[in-house]
Amino acid sequence: MTSRAATTRGTVAGQPFVRRGSGAPTILLPGVGPGRHHPSAWDRTLLRLETAPLVRELDLWTLGRRRGLPEGTTMSELADDVARAAAEIVDGPVDVVGTSTGGSIALQLAVDHPGLVRRLVLVSSAHRLGDGGREAQRRTAERLRAGDARGASAAMLGQTTTGVPASNALRRLGRVAHHVVVGDRHDDLVVTLDAEDSFDVGDRLGEVAVPTLVVAGGADGFYPLDLVARTVAGLPDATLAVHPRSGHLGLGSRGVAREVLAHLTRAS
């Protein structure tokens, strides 16, 4: 497919996408959130701000998850969805960037469909959730099932850092901003959280032969640094970039987009 600079939205292989920029086709798999299945105007605005540095040099396809996920959907099945979309986006291997839960899906994709990935970037992600992150996501799913969106949002947002004062403040913010953090439609979000609960490809990391950049925050409550380091050690061709004072990083965090671009645009 040819690159284009304009923003386009639609679905590809049943998954919602936002496409911006020009350059090498690149797939972005974002973390959990209300807009990953049903993107709102706020989600699109936030995405535009986070990815602004990337779309200057990349033809960026941000893929959401398909709607109406059946109970029991696995990370492998979510990765299969991405594989089908990738086959429609580009003819041949494609660069893939995954953040948080999107990083889990990206790593599963690289394991299950190695011929589809050219270069890989994982931001705030690892071969599995940390114990604290897994417990926080279980609490989030339980509270969403119980109809407690405020409690679910607090559990999710409070885990983004290991700093106690900041974590407490984020929990309070989560109760107020639950529409932004978990949205109003929760079924697909719960299924995605359940899928990641059992995700662990630690014994298959050696199968990922592509150049991989892993970007981590030293105070990330979902993915502790020792766990991320084990992920990097298990990957045959991986580089670790650490932001020591940061919590759960996103593409909009200081310096992250620059590190991602450097990895994706370097000469082969």
Side-chain angles (χ1 to χ4, degrees):
M1 286 188 169
T2 58
S3 298
R4 64 182 71 180
T7 299
T8 55
R9 297 195 300 270
T11 58
V12 56
Q15 295 162 90
F17 74 85
V18 176
R19 182 186 185 188
R20 293 179 66 226
S22 59
T26 303
I27 291 175
L28 170 61
L29 305 176
V32 294
R36 308 321 178 197
H37 305 276
H38 307 273
S40 66
W42 164 255
D43 296 312
R44 292 192 293 269
T45 298
L46 185 60
L47 173 66
R48 187 167 60 251
L49 293 172
E50 285 185 335
T51 61
L54 300 182
V55 299
R56 298 189 189 108
E57 299 189 46
L58 304 175
D59 178 16
L60 193 67
W61 293 70
T62 303
L63 292 184
R65 263 77 77 184
R66 59 188 162 94
R67 301 173 183 178
L69 291 174
E71 195 87 19
T73 295
T74 65
M75 295 300 280
S76 285
E77 289 169 333
L78 293 176
D80 290 345
D81 287 345
V82 176
R84 284 188 285 271
E88 295 190 22
I89 290 169
V90 64
D91 182 16
V94 65
D95 294 336
V96 179
V97 179
T99 64
S100 191
T101 299
S104 298
I105 299 172
L107 192 50
Q108 187 77 61
L109 177 74
V111 166
D112 291 347
H113 303 273
L116 286 179
V117 180
R118 188 177 78 103
R119 283 187 174 130
L120 180 64
V121 178
L122 308 175
V123 178
S124 287
S125 193
H127 66 270
R128 66 170 178 85
L129 277 164
D131 293 340
R134 182 171 286 164
E135 179 57 30
Q137 290 200 177
R138 286 174 179 170
R139 290 198 306 271
T140 300
E142 289 169 0
R143 290 173 186 180
L144 288 175
R145 286 190 176 96
D148 179 12
R150 293 180 186 274
S153 176
M156 180 68 77
L157 208 57
Q159 193 64 29
T160 56
T161 180
T162 57
V164 174
S167 180
N168 289 338
L170 286 167
R171 285 190 180 90
R172 291 192 294 270
L173 176 62
R175 290 190 171 277
V176 175
H178 59 97
H179 291 295
V180 175
V181 179
V182 298
D184 299 311
R185 306 178 186 183
H186 301 142
D187 289 350
D188 287 324
L189 174 55
V190 168
V191 171
T192 303
L193 294 173
D194 287 347
E196 193 171 25
D197 186 68
S198 58
F199 167 75
D200 188 344
V201 293
D203 59 348
R204 299 184 66 188
L205 291 173
E207 301 173 30
V208 182
V210 300
T212 303
L213 171 68
V214 182
V215 185
D220 189 339
F222 286 99
Y223 301 95
L225 198 53
D226 61 339
L227 174 65
V228 176
R230 291 199 299 273
T231 301
V232 172
L235 293 165
D237 184 6
T239 301
L240 175 61
V242 178
H243 296 239
R245 299 182 181 180
S246 298
H248 197 62
L249 294 163
L251 289 173
S253 304
R254 184 185 298 273
V256 172
R258 183 170 62 250
E259 293 165 339
V260 171
L261 276 174
H263 178 71
L264 296 181
T265 58
R266 72 182 185 185
S268 300

